[in-house]
Amino acid sequence: MTGYDEGELTIVIDKAIGVLDLARKVRLLTGAAMFALPAEPAIGLSEVRMSDGPTGLRGAELAGGRKSCLLPNATLLAQHWDVGVAEQVGELLADEAAAHDVHVVLGPTINLHRSPLGGRLFEAFSEDPLLSGALATGYVRSLQARGIATSAKHFLANESETERFTVDCALDERTVRELYLLPFEMVVDDAHPWSVMAAYNRVNGTPATEHGELINDVLKGEWGYDGLVMSDWFATNSTTASANGGLDLVMPGPEGPWGDALVAAVEAGEVPVETVDEHLRRLLRFAARVGCFPGEPAPRTANATPDSPPTRQRLRRLAAGGMTVLVNRDDTLPLAATGGPIAVIGRHAFDTVAQGGGSAQIRPPHVVSIADGLAGALGPDRVSVVDGVEVRTRPIAALSDAVRDPETGESGMRVTARDACGQVVESRHVEATEIEVVEDGWLGSAASIELCAELVLAAPACTRIGVRGPGLWELTAPGLHEALELYRAPGPGGGLHRPPARGFDVEQSPGARISAVTRADSGMRIIGLVAAPAPPSDDEAIRIATAAARESEVAVVVVGFTQEQETEGVDKTTLALPGRQDELVRAVAAVAERTVVVVNAATPALMPWIDDVDAVLWAGLPGQEAGDAVAAALLGEVEPAGRLVTTFPAADGDGPAWNTTPADGVLTYAEGGAVGYRGWCGRDPLFWFGYGLGYGTWRYETAEPVAEHGIARSARVEVTNTGDRTSREVVQVYARPADLDEPIRLIGWAGARVEPGRTATVEVSCDRRVQRRWDPEQRTWNPLPAAELLIARGLGDVRLTLLLTEEN
């Protein structure tokens, strides 16, 4: 960060603005590249580099780039209910940013889990604005304390993916203020983020990138925000309206809707030059905060070691500790470290999903599968691994060690670019099996691109061979020659975030050569090779699984979603698990002595078999140490003490907010403030927000509120660990207003780790920002009427009720 104080920095910035003419000022207000801001030597401004990174630093490349540390996804981290965990994440990401020479991490995502169908919920923390805001505050504060900027996103009302580039989200002013603005307000108040990202969607008819009421009046005016407001990528579609509406920076660049058009608008008197100066003032302040203005940035220390034992151990504990025990009949969990045979069943057991899809995807150093994690913890002689039913409609890219470069013999593939005459322009070894094709990349000028690799097989086997990525393809391998066309997903980024794929099952021998040639005129996209063992039919998989379950003491069935359901760009249409996974669980449970289900998913799923199984562990998307973390949780080495951050419906269509599909371009938030648990009044979901068993049992002894004029300031709660293990409890405090038209809301929580038989006093701070309501007529906040306080382990398990009056 700059060595200037605020007053000195203001003088330096004003002097720099005075040096530049209008055209050069405007040039600085659009990105110089996909993930970089322009330098301006005349004023000592150096390049500012950005990266997507809610759960890991991807760098500038969307595929095939540098390996980075892959953290557990946001909902799994949020299930700790611990701001300290968010701060640890910030520390890890700051080290990664320094290693990547990145100044700005594009996160956190603090939109709410409005509907469980939202495809990108895995990137956001929770359905509750207080919990989301507090965790985001810890994340931002930790990164920025280490000199790395954040960009709180997406401002505002970007809770679903369907038609997300054009959708108009219609919601009333109270709902905007009390729910969707609150996490941003908390982050601005408590952490002062250096940038905020404006969303693609419209809010009540106005694009978020030009929403003067939200950006100028609320964010910059009412809240006094002095940071930078940037657009989401390609989100800005106007010149005058966005410049006057408060947007400071258009991303990406160098092309965009500002440039010469904004210069002309200023010269025509449509945009005041003072407005341009204010945008530039904020951009230079932002650059100063990350060390890029004035002068050259200070050298960075790259401490990131994504594959080191300390980092792996840390990630393992972060993942395991946030996992949630949903069912544990007869103390099935934790599993004994010694004993009879265990069958690990399901496609997710060895094709474990570690992260969601879209722009947040990174290339980790490895992903430990759940099968490998359990075999490593229990011994391969005790664990048998059995495939499950198909869970994907599109095959994934080959594992790097499943293929090798025919020229070098190294893991990965050979990528060759040719010109229009078929002459080789360049040929490279690529360690990954997917690569990005962009106009300014080394493949951008090619006429055709060939991906080539040899299969690494122990013996001849039926193998699924194929390609990923939109375009015309010619695919060849022994016994296979196919010409095919794959189509990109609709909307901007459709060829990058959700690449189509096709595979063919063919008998292959070790060393068989795969070649896939595509024309290079299909625009920005991800392309790659598919190479994996051909799976059994679903019927055969279920037959083999039930046979293994009969012979085992415990059957661990691993099910879940994939990046086809949990991804940027697409919402789910059902919460049912894909394929015949429910049938697989029921078949195993019918014959197994004990059945444990591990759900490898970030967001709610239907569980029609829940009464048939002995235990359910909600594992989230656990990041690179997935399998070791699941093993640690199942064996009790790390207590899976997580609490749910989203309410789980029992059936499709159940709950207060379901629909994510706009009608005539408009998505109406008809439920108003009754989002998530706030809207389940008078009926029970499958699992409440805040629910989680852990491995302890608890007695709540007493509770004493501290309040002022009917507003809770804190609650002192005594809890006793009545179990036989040291365990972590999360004491949750909810307010139930006297006005029955007002929903229950979380107002505070605190965690405590307590030894067996011991009693702990837990101090829970209560936030006044959720004990108020917005008056749209007077445009002011009023306190909520006096309420009851519910002291709970989740709303389905309220332990104590206290009356809150004006006197206490």
Side-chain angles (χ1 to χ4, degrees):
M1 294 176 63
T2 176
Y4 295 102
D5 63 29
E6 285 298 317
E8 292 170 329
L9 180 60
T10 298
I11 294 171
V12 171
I13 288 173
D14 287 345
K15 182 179 178 180
I17 292 173
V19 167
L20 303 176
D21 60 23
L22 178 61
R24 286 197 292 172
K25 290 177 184 178
V26 167
R27 184 181 69 85
L28 296 178
L29 301 179
T30 295
M34 186 63 75
F35 292 101
L37 305 187
E40 177 51 79
I43 59 172
L45 174 65
S46 56
E47 183 182 67
V48 178
R49 289 175 291 279
M50 305 180 178
S51 172
D52 279 312
T55 52
L57 258 291
R58 193 197 62 225
E61 296 175 283
L62 291 167
R66 178 175 182 164
K67 292 180 180 178
S68 297
C69 176
L70 176 58
L71 282 74
N73 79 288
T75 60
L76 182 52
L77 293 168
Q79 286 173 185
H80 283 268
W81 288 58
D82 187 345
V83 173
V85 165
E87 292 171 346
Q88 288 183 51
V89 169
E91 181 182 346
L92 283 162
L93 289 173
D95 285 345
E96 288 283 307
H100 282 267
D101 201 16
V102 161
H103 305 99
V104 188
V105 173
L106 299 173
T109 302
I110 52 176
N111 302 108
L112 300 185
H113 295 190
R114 172 184 170 263
S115 166
L117 293 177
R120 205 176 180 181
L121 299 190
F122 66 90
E123 262 190 61
F125 293 117
S126 81
E127 69 186 18
D128 181 77
L130 178 65
L131 180 61
S132 296
L135 296 174
T137 294
Y139 177 110
V140 169
R141 195 161 45 207
S142 180
L143 270 158
Q144 294 185 171
R146 293 165 173 84
I148 303 298
T150 60
S151 187
K153 62 185 187 182
H154 307 84
F155 191 80
L156 189 72
N158 181 189
E159 275 71 40
S160 54
E161 295 297 293
T162 305
E163 299 179 23
R164 69 175 176 141
F165 301 103
T166 58
V167 63
D168 181 9
C169 296
L171 59 170
D172 66 85
E173 188 176 343
R174 274 198 67 190
T175 300
V176 170
R177 286 279 187 165
E178 295 179 16
L179 268 76
Y180 297 104
L181 276 175
L182 180 57
F184 289 94
E185 180 183 2
M186 292 176 66
V187 171
V188 169
D189 281 351
D190 302 338
H192 313 293
W194 297 340
S195 70
V196 169
M197 184 186 295
Y200 289 111
N201 53 282
R202 295 171 178 261
V203 181
N204 294 326
T206 302
T209 51
E210 56 193 62
H211 209 300
E213 182 180 357
L214 288 173
I215 299 175
N216 286 329
D217 298 348
V218 177
L219 178 61
K220 294 181 176 179
E222 183 181 325
W223 297 350
Y225 178 65
D226 70 350
L228 179 80
V229 178
M230 69 174 72
S231 73
D232 205 338
W233 267 231
F234 304 104
T236 314
N237 295 305
S238 67
T239 301
T240 301
S242 56
N244 288 334
L247 189 70
D248 299 310
L249 172 67
V250 171
M251 288 300 294
E255 304 301 324
W258 283 10
D260 291 344
L262 181 53
V263 171
V266 173
E267 291 173 342
E270 297 169 356
V271 176
V273 68
E274 293 81 9
T275 297
V276 171
D277 288 350
E278 175 59 18
H279 296 325
L280 184 55
R281 183 172 291 109
R282 287 174 179 269
L283 183 138
L284 294 177
R285 185 184 298 124
F286 174 74
R289 285 168 168 167
V290 299
C292 293
F293 173 81
E296 290 297 317
R300 293 172 178 268
T301 302
N303 296 320
T305 49
D307 209 13
S308 71
T311 298
R312 296 188 64 179
Q313 179 71 4
R314 192 175 190 182
L315 293 177
R316 176 174 162 273
R317 296 194 70 85
L318 283 174
M323 293 177 185
T324 303
V325 180
L326 298 180
V327 174
N328 194 15
R329 298 186 176 96
D330 300 322
D331 293 328
T332 295
L333 297 179
L335 298 176
T338 59
I342 291 179
V344 181
I345 298 166
R347 183 64 53 81
H348 283 75
F350 58 86
D351 179 11
T352 301
V353 179
Q355 60 182 321
S359 60
Q361 288 186 107
I362 71 163
R363 184 179 171 221
H366 59 260
V367 172
V368 180
S369 73
I370 293 173
D372 285 346
L374 284 169
L378 297 170
D381 294 339
R382 189 180 173 199
V383 173
S384 61
V385 181
V386 179
D387 199 356
V389 297
E390 185 60 79
V391 297
R392 301 179 187 269
T393 61
R394 303 190 305 270
I396 60 173
L399 298 176
S400 292
D401 58 3
V403 292
R404 63 184 175 223
D405 184 328
E407 293 188 18
T408 67
E410 298 174 271
S411 295
M413 62 182 178
R414 170 68 40 177
V415 181
T416 302
R418 292 184 172 87
D419 62 20
C421 298
Q423 298 298 308
V424 174
V425 176
E426 189 169 356
S427 182
R428 292 186 185 180
H429 166 73
V430 175
E431 187 181 2
T433 56
E434 284 188 306
I435 192 167
E436 177 184 74
V437 181
V438 292
E439 290 181 2
D440 57 354
W442 71 280
L443 293 170
S445 60
S448 69
I449 303 166
E450 180 184 19
L451 311 180
C452 187
E454 292 178 348
L455 287 175
V456 177
L457 297 173
C462 188
T463 305
R464 181 161 291 175
I465 304 296
V467 292
R468 282 170 61 85
L472 292 167
W473 290 92
E474 184 175 355
L475 173 66
T476 58
L480 176 68
H481 186 94
E482 291 284 342
L484 62 154
E485 184 172 6
L486 300 180
Y487 298 95
R488 68 179 56 237
L496 297 171
H497 300 327
R498 304 183 307 282
R502 179 85 183 274
F504 303 87
D505 294 347
V506 185
E507 192 72 23
Q508 296 293 329
S509 298
R513 185 178 178 123
I514 311 165
S515 172
V517 178
T518 182
R519 287 190 348 211
D521 58 358
S522 297
M524 294 174 59
R525 54 184 171 148
I526 301 292
I527 59 175
L529 289 176
V530 172
S537 69
D538 285 353
D539 287 340
E540 181 70 1
I542 292 172
R543 185 191 67 77
I544 295 172
T546 53
R550 284 191 183 95
E551 302 300 320
S552 300
E553 183 178 272
V554 179
V556 178
V557 189
V558 190
V559 297
F561 292 130
T562 74
Q563 290 91 350
E564 293 181 19
Q565 291 82 36
E566 297 190 307
T567 183
E568 180 176 354
V570 176
D571 292 317
K572 295 186 283 290
T573 58
T574 175
L575 298 184
L577 295 172
R580 294 168 62 184
Q581 293 183 90
D582 290 334
E583 185 180 343
L584 174 67
V585 174
R586 283 191 169 119
V588 169
V591 301
E593 182 178 341
R594 286 187 295 163
T595 303
V596 176
V597 178
V598 176
V599 186
N600 180 198
T603 50
L606 304 184
M607 292 177 266
W609 33 259
I610 199 162
D611 293 332
D612 303 327
V613 303
D614 299 286
V616 179
L617 178 71
W618 193 263
L621 305 179
Q624 67 184 51
E625 308 304 323
D628 287 344
V630 168
L634 289 177
L635 294 170
E637 182 185 340
V638 177
E639 183 187 23
R643 303 294 188 265
L644 293 182
V645 294
T646 311
T647 303
F648 279 39
D652 276 343
D654 207 1
W658 186 258
N659 184 36
T660 61
T661 302
D664 297 324
V666 179
L667 181 63
T668 302
Y669 287 31
E671 71 287 346
V675 172
Y677 68 87
R678 297 181 181 212
W680 283 85
C681 183
R683 54 205 173 114
D684 286 331
L686 180 63
F687 293 111
W688 281 100
F689 171 85
Y691 174 86
L693 297 175
Y695 288 151
T697 57
W698 298 90
R699 183 173 64 245
Y700 279 51
E701 310 286 359
T702 62
E704 179 183 349
V706 175
E708 182 181 346
H709 304 302
I711 301 298
R713 296 289 181 256
S714 64
R716 183 177 296 109
V717 183
E718 284 193 347
V719 295
T720 300
N721 180 352
T722 58
D724 57 4
R725 301 170 57 94
T726 297
S727 182
R728 181 174 186 266
E729 177 65 325
V730 178
V731 177
Q732 302 162 42
V733 179
Y734 297 83
R736 179 158 56 197
D739 184 343
L740 297 181
D741 290 333
E742 294 287 345
I744 291 172
R745 74 278 313 275
L746 179 73
I747 63 170
W749 74 91
R753 189 169 299 281
V754 186
E755 295 177 350
R758 296 294 185 90
T759 299
T761 299
V762 183
E763 296 280 350
V764 182
S765 296
C766 300
D767 199 305
R768 66 182 305 159
R769 287 171 292 198
V770 282
Q771 300 179 72
R772 61 182 184 175
R773 56 183 173 184
W774 179 255
D775 184 338
E777 293 184 0
Q778 299 297 321
R779 302 194 61 75
T780 189
W781 290 103
N782 294 316
L784 279 174
E788 287 182 324
L789 294 188
L790 309 180
I791 314 298
R793 304 189 76 238
L795 277 175
D797 188 4
V798 175
R799 296 298 182 92
L800 299 169
T801 302
L802 306 173
L803 182 62
L804 198 63
T805 67
E806 293 290 338
E807 286 70 37
N808 66 358

